């Protein structure tokens, strides 16, 4: 077909009075112009007609994968390859009299097709990440890591193909020769390979997700995970600084993930107060009367009169009242473990620990509720005849 068009154009140009040699050059020039026009029309048809039709068909189907893979961005990058394919098919028919130019143009066109195909492949790989809409699932993170590796493979193969085109060698021959340089490649991609392995361990073991609150004291990390890639994990600290660490760091060293706390029924509070040993004594009539007058003991109080033994110690009574106070407080999750207990004595006093869980887990409301409850505990210590140990200048 192309040869017939060439002969028709040469006959037409010769009929205009041109010489045979001039007719050949004019014919080649007209064929080049027609090739450019034809390749441009093929791009317009694909870009303006085929892409919208394909997108609409994909949107009407029930499947989700075609909406993700056949998106406008990917299809438009595919359209950029079509004109080069058209030109590549027509070059041998136009420049057969000039083999040197024909070879150069074929190589340039092949390189262009390879580069555009690589961009298309990367776009497809990026689209694969959207197949799983749950951005925080372990499966999505695993897919994200796999796509990162796949992009490296696509780019690596594209480089091999481009080099083979430039030096006019078979790509398979170059790939076979890479066995001798595998040690160098392992050294170059050492961080990528270790990051891949660490990323797979993090995601497959469900250790980390995007949006998790983690703490890594050694690296100064205390914030929310914003991005997990093949070689980096980006965390936004609560002072709005971005800390970048490697997945290998998280695997090699320990880190604290607060996700289970955020998803759980409560957030833990543990606080200690040190009681002066000299203030621990039996409850006498004065202490009993004061506690009754202030509503600590009574029929309508948290501690009933019958629960107070005659030889009760003021610290035991305080622990009993604090335990009942925690069990009745609206902000404390009484379905979870709560207790007020003694710890091993120290030179600075007798430690009494408050251990409970608050229903509120958001940072600021949690701190306010925790402080309100503990301040009430501290204020009640004096009413029970106890003293909180505090180092002063004369001690």
């Amino acid at each position: 077909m192309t040869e017939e068009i060439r002969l028709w154009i040469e006959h037409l140009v010769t009929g205009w009075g041109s010489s045979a040699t001039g007719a050949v050059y004019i014919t080649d020039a007209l064929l080049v112009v027609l090739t450019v026009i034809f390749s441009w029309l093929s791009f317009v048809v694909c870009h303006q007609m085929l892409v919208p039709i394909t997108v609409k068909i994909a949107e009407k189907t029930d499947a989700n994968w075609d909406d993700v893979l056949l998106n406008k961005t990917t299809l438009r990058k595919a359209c950029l390859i079509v004109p080069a394919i058209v030109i590549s098919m027509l070059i041998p028919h136009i420049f057969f009299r000039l083999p040197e130019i024909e070879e150069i143009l074929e190589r340039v066109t092949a390189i262009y097709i390879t580069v555009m195909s690589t961009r298309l492949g990367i776009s497809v790989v990026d689209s694969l990440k959207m197949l799983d809409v749950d951005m925080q699932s372990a499966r999505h993170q695993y897919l994200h890591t796999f796509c990162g590796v796949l992009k490296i493979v696509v780019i690596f193969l594209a480089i091999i193909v481009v080099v083979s085109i430039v030096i006019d060698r078979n790509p398979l021959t170059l790939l076979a020769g890479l066995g001798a340089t595998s040690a160098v490649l392992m050294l170059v991609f050492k961080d990528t390979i270790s990051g891949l392995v660490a990323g797979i361990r993090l995601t497959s073991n469900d250790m980390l997700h995007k949006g998790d609150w983690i703490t890594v004291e050694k690296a100064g990390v205390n914030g929310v995970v914003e991005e997990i890639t093949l070689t980096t994990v980006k965390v936004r600290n609560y002072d709005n600084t971005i800390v970048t660490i490697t997945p290998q760091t998280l695997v090699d060293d320990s880190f604290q993930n607060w996700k289970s706390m955020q998803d759980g029924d409560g957030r833990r509070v543990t606080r200690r107060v040190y009681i002066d040993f000299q203030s621990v004594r039996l409850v006498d009539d004065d202490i009993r009367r004061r506690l009754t007058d202030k509503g600590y003991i009574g029929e309508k109080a948290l501690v009933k009169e019958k629960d107070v033994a005659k030889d009760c110690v003021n610290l035991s009574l305080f622990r009993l009242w604090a335990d009942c106070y925690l069990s009745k407080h609206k902000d404390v999750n009484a379905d979870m473990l709560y207790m007020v207990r003694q710890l091993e004595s120290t030179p600075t006093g007798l430690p009494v620990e408050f251990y409970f869980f608050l229903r509120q887990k958001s940072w600021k409301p949690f701190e306010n509720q925790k402080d309100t409850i503990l301040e009430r505990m501290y204020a009640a210590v004096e009413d029970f005849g106890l003293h909180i140990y505090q180092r002063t200048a004369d001690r």
Side-chain angles (χ1 to χ4, degrees), residues 94-146:
I94 300 175
F95 297 99
F96 65 92
R97 297 189 183 93
L98 303 170
E100 296 82 3
I101 296 178
E102 177 186 350
E103 183 179 358
I104 293 174
L105 291 178
E106 285 181 344
R107 290 189 182 186
V108 172
T109 306
I111 292 174
Y112 174 84
I113 293 175
T114 303
V115 173
M116 291 298 106
S117 299
T118 304
R119 291 186 59 192
L120 175 62
I122 293 175
S123 179
V124 171
V125 171
D126 288 335
S127 300
L128 290 175
K129 300 176 185 178
M130 305 305 297
L131 288 175
D132 191 350
V133 295
D134 187 2
M135 302 293 288
Q136 298 184 3
S137 67
R139 183 174 59 184
H140 178 82
Q141 298 300 331
Y142 192 84
L143 183 63
H144 195 284
T145 303
F146 173 76

Side-chain angles (χ1 to χ4, degrees), residues 282-294:
L282 295 173
V283 176
D284 54 21
D285 293 337
D286 291 338
I287 295 178
R288 188 183 297 270
R289 188 181 308 107
R290 181 170 65 249
L291 293 176
T292 303
D293 293 340
K294 292 190 174 184

Side-chain angles (χ1 to χ4, degrees), residues 142-197:
Y142 192 84
L143 183 63
H144 195 284
T145 303
F146 173 76
C147 289
V149 178
L150 198 57
K151 285 167 69 173
I152 292 177
V153 172
V154 170
I155 294 173
F156 177 73
L157 292 177
I159 293 174
I160 294 296
V161 172
V162 170
V163 172
S164 66
I165 293 172
V166 172
I167 65 176
D168 195 19
R169 293 288 185 88
N170 191 332
L172 297 178
T173 304
L174 292 180
L175 285 173
L178 288 177
T181 59
S182 58
V184 177
L185 292 176
M186 291 288 289
L187 182 62
V188 172
F189 295 104
K190 177 176 69 68
D191 293 337
T192 302
I193 295 172
S194 63
L196 168 63
V197 176

Side-chain angles (χ1 to χ4, degrees), residues 261-296:
M261 180 275 294
Q262 293 175 318
D263 296 340
D265 296 328
R267 183 172 176 179
R268 189 186 67 175
V269 177
T270 55
R271 284 295 184 274
R272 297 177 185 177
V273 61
Y274 291 82
I275 303 298
D276 193 334
F277 279 104
Q278 297 179 1
S279 65
V280 180
R281 61 182 184 274
L282 295 173
V283 176
D284 54 21
D285 293 337
D286 291 338
I287 295 178
R288 188 183 297 270
R289 188 181 308 107
R290 181 170 65 249
L291 293 176
T292 303
D293 293 340
K294 292 190 174 184
Y296 290 98

Side-chain angles (χ1 to χ4, degrees), residues 5 18 88 142 151 164 177 192 206 217 235 241 302 328 351 356 370 372 382 386 391:
I5 295 175
S18 177
S88 177
Y142 192 84
K151 285 167 69 173
S164 66
T192 302
D206 203 20
E217 295 184 1
V235 181
T241 58
L302 293 175
K328 301 298 182 183
F356 55 94
K370 177 203 69 176
T372 300
E382 191 73 23
L386 298 167
R391 186 180 295 278

